[in-house]
């Protein structure tokens, strides 16, 4: 019975994780309609409206009391503050990279990140990999190395993005709070800074409130929803799914973005990209097959004499 509950929880966690990364992969379509707004103001609006949306969810699901208790718990509050700093830093680095002509280097970071998540799962959380899973990790690593060599220099922005989001995932894995409460703690720490920047922008005459069209303002407010929901799904998944498994699921987001870049935004896709992605997708297939085999063994192995 306990094993069945764990299997159901893990399956649900994988489902939440997949939905989160599909949403993140599709976000470039959303940001395309806000290209007249500066990236830093989008970031401030994302944080502030996320806080209001999560506060609404706390009221809707009557989770204010658990939120208050968690906020007063020094250990939990510290972990949530660390998570909020890491995810905010990740957003800032990505925005800075894109605004300064480092789009390729920034996108590479989200292919390096899953490898770091797998490594953190093994080294920090003592998660174990089978021989085939190690082989899958090596294949994915080769694919990333090919992209890095093709780029021509050490991609510091890529590694910074990978490290911040990788450790954010680890922090979420270690946090002992329910997903909604944890997300509320993260947003409450950064919301004052975001609001402060928004007020400063408006007072300086560089703000967008009152200057963009109503549809654009609606989308700008909606950044709270499109930011908070994937983070909430990610938090639910991170609590139930091994970090090493989460690492491979993460490849969905940059792959969806790649498809959008090639077929929607008409960006170049070279033969080097084809080779490197072939390695990565072979790794995903191998890891998926090995994970299925392990699950079947754990399910039926004890029933055999």
């Amino acid at each position: 019975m306990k094993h069945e509950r764990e299997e159901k929880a893990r399956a649900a966690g994988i489902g939440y994780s997949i939905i989160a990364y599909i949403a993140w992969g599709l976000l470039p379509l959303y940001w395309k309609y806000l290209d007249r707004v500066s990236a830093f103001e989008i970031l401030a609006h994302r944080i502030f409206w996320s806080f209001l949306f999560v506060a609404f969810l706390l009221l809707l699901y009557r989770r204010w009391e658990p939120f208050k208790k968690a906020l007063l718990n020094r250990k939990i509050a510290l972990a949530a503050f660390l998570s909020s700093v890491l995810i905010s830093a990740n957003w800032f680095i990505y925005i800075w990279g894109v605004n300064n002509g480092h789009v390729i280097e920034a996108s590479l970071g989200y292919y390096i990140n899953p490898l770091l998540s797998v490594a953190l799962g093994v080294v920090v959380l003592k998660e174990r990999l089978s021989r085939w899973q190690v082989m899958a990790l090596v294949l994915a690593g080769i694919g990333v190395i090919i992209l890095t060599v093709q780029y021509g220099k050490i991609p510091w922005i890529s590694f910074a993005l990978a490290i911040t989001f990788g450790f954010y995932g680890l922090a979420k894995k270690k946090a002992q709070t329910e997903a909604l409460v944890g997300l509320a703690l993260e947003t409450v720490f950064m919301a004052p800074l975001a609001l402060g920047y928004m007020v400063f922008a408006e007072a300086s005459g560089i703000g967008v409130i009152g200057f963009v069209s109503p549809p654009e303002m609606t989308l700008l407010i909606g950044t709270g929803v499109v930011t908070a929901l994937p983070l909430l799904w990610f938090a639910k998944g991170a609590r139930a799914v091994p970090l090493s498994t989460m690492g491979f699921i993460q490849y969905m987001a940059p792959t969806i973005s790649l498809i959008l870049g090639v077929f929607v935004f008409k960006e170049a896709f070279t033969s080097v990209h084809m080779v490197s992605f072939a390695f990565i997708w072979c790794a995903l297939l191998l890891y998926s097959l090995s994970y299925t085999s392990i699950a079947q063994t754990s399910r039926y192995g004890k029933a055999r004499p």
Side-chain angles (χ1 to χ4, degrees):
M1 184 67 68
K2 180 181 178 181
H3 178 72
E4 290 181 359
R5 287 197 301 267
E6 291 176 350
E7 286 293 319
K8 289 181 179 179
R10 179 172 296 188
I14 292 175
Y16 279 118
S17 302
I18 290 174
I19 295 173
Y21 283 106
I22 289 176
W24 277 325
L26 293 173
L27 272 183
L29 293 173
Y30 195 95
W31 305 136
K32 186 69 173 178
Y33 290 98
L34 292 171
D35 54 4
R36 292 203 305 155
V37 183
S38 71
F40 288 100
E41 191 148 11
I42 290 176
L43 174 62
H45 277 269
R46 287 183 74 178
I47 295 172
F48 179 71
W49 295 116
S50 295
F51 164 70
L52 292 185
F53 178 65
V54 173
F56 166 74
L57 292 180
L58 286 176
L59 284 173
L60 182 64
Y61 293 106
R62 300 179 181 178
R63 306 308 297 162
W64 273 108
E65 285 303 318
F67 168 73
K68 292 177 183 178
K69 290 180 181 180
L71 187 61
L72 295 175
N73 186 304
R74 182 177 299 179
K75 183 178 179 180
I76 294 177
L78 180 61
F81 176 75
L82 178 61
S83 297
S84 65
V85 170
L86 287 169
I87 194 62
S88 298
N90 182 270
W91 289 344
F92 174 79
I93 295 166
Y94 181 78
I95 291 172
W96 186 92
V98 171
N99 283 356
N100 287 273
H102 300 286
V103 178
I104 295 176
E105 191 173 350
S107 63
L108 178 58
Y110 291 104
Y111 277 100
I112 297 175
N113 169 241
L115 300 177
L116 179 62
S117 293
V118 174
L120 288 173
V122 173
V123 175
V124 179
L125 302 181
K126 308 303 180 183
E127 297 175 357
R128 300 181 63 181
L129 299 178
S130 69
R131 182 186 307 172
W132 295 107
Q133 290 170 337
V134 172
M135 188 178 298
L137 180 61
V138 171
L139 287 175
I142 293 173
V144 170
I145 289 173
I146 291 173
L147 282 175
T148 302
V149 172
Q150 190 265 347
Y151 183 71
K153 64 179 181 180
I154 297 176
W156 294 111
I157 293 175
S158 303
F159 287 124
L161 287 171
I163 289 171
T164 52
F165 199 81
F167 277 93
Y168 172 74
L170 177 62
K172 298 297 290 185
K173 184 70 176 178
K174 300 287 284 186
Q176 298 298 317
T177 59
E178 59 182 274
L180 180 58
V181 170
L183 184 54
L185 289 171
E186 292 172 24
T187 56
V188 77
F189 284 123
M190 289 297 146
L193 294 177
L195 179 60
Y197 179 84
M198 292 166 61
V199 171
F200 168 78
E202 295 301 323
S204 302
I206 60 175
V208 298
I209 298 177
F211 292 94
V212 296
S213 66
E216 287 175 313
M217 193 63 215
T218 300
L219 288 175
L220 201 56
I221 295 173
T223 58
V225 178
V226 301
T227 298
L229 282 182
L231 285 174
L232 184 59
W233 295 329
F234 174 80
K236 286 179 175 290
R239 294 181 65 193
V241 179
L243 194 62
S244 53
T245 301
M246 183 74 78
F248 281 89
I249 296 176
Q250 286 176 346
Y251 280 117
M252 295 184 67
T255 300
I256 292 172
S257 297
L258 167 70
I259 294 172
L260 291 176
V262 173
F263 295 103
V264 178
F265 304 134
K266 307 300 181 183
E267 295 181 1
F269 185 71
T270 67
S271 58
V272 175
H273 287 96
M274 180 66 75
V275 172
S276 61
F277 289 130
F279 273 103
I280 291 170
W281 277 107
C282 285
L284 285 171
L285 178 61
L286 183 60
Y287 188 89
S288 299
L289 292 175
S290 66
Y291 181 80
T292 302
S293 176
I294 291 174
Q296 290 177 342
T297 301
S298 63
R299 179 176 297 179
Y300 299 114
K302 293 183 178 180
R304 295 174 182 174

